Amino acid sequence: MARSFGKVVTLTDAAAERVKAIMGRSETPVVGLRVGVKKGGCAGLEYTMEYASETRPFEEVVEEKGVRILIEPTAILYLLGTEMDYRTEKFTSGFVFKNPNQTSACGCGESVEISPAQAGE
């Protein structure tokens, strides 16, 4: 059954290239990068990323620009419509999530407040 909301997460070219580089350095076989959210930080939620050695039941699989992103089932509504980017700046580099469901973030940038996407959005 087709869904009308499109991909849960999209990747910029920079993010896709960085994921490819990270996956290429893994010491064990991986099928993709697992992305999720967990409780933590002063704003309430933190993004999580880890190597995925297998696809778990009910995960959303996003294949784009030559990489595979696995979205944890509990994170799908929080990440719906998110663009994953990778930025290199003068003093820092890392993945950046442009999430339309994010309502606020802490001052240090480590955690965010996210509302689940609502039906019909």
Side-chain angles (χ1 to χ4, degrees):
M1 179 176 186
R3 292 186 308 255
S4 61
F5 57 78
K7 291 182 180 178
V8 175
V9 172
T10 57
L11 287 89
T12 64
D13 291 341
E17 290 304 313
R18 185 63 181 153
V19 170
K20 286 178 193 176
I22 290 170
M23 295 291 107
R25 291 196 317 250
S26 174
E27 295 179 6
T28 59
V30 294
V31 297
L33 180 68
R34 181 170 287 114
V35 177
V37 295
K38 69 176 184 175
K39 290 183 181 182
C42 51
L45 293 173
E46 297 174 341
Y47 295 106
T48 62
M49 292 186 289
E50 65 182 12
Y51 292 120
S53 58
E54 81 288 332
T55 303
R56 296 177 183 159
F58 308 109
E59 283 186 320
E60 183 77 14
V61 178
V62 175
E63 294 190 37
E64 183 175 356
K65 300 180 182 178
V67 298
R68 177 183 277 182
I69 305 294
L70 308 171
I71 310 296
E72 294 178 342
T74 57
I76 292 171
L77 289 179
Y78 291 104
L79 297 177
L80 196 58
T82 296
E83 179 185 68
M84 188 173 160
D85 192 11
Y86 186 81
R87 292 190 192 153
T88 301
E89 298 176 359
K90 189 172 184 176
F91 296 110
T92 185
S93 62
F95 287 100
V96 177
F97 294 86
K98 297 176 188 172
N99 187 336
N101 306 303
Q102 181 176 319
T103 56
S104 68
C106 67
C108 65
E110 292 296 318
S111 66
V112 293
E113 183 176 344
I114 306 171
S115 296
Q118 300 298 311
E121 288 187 356

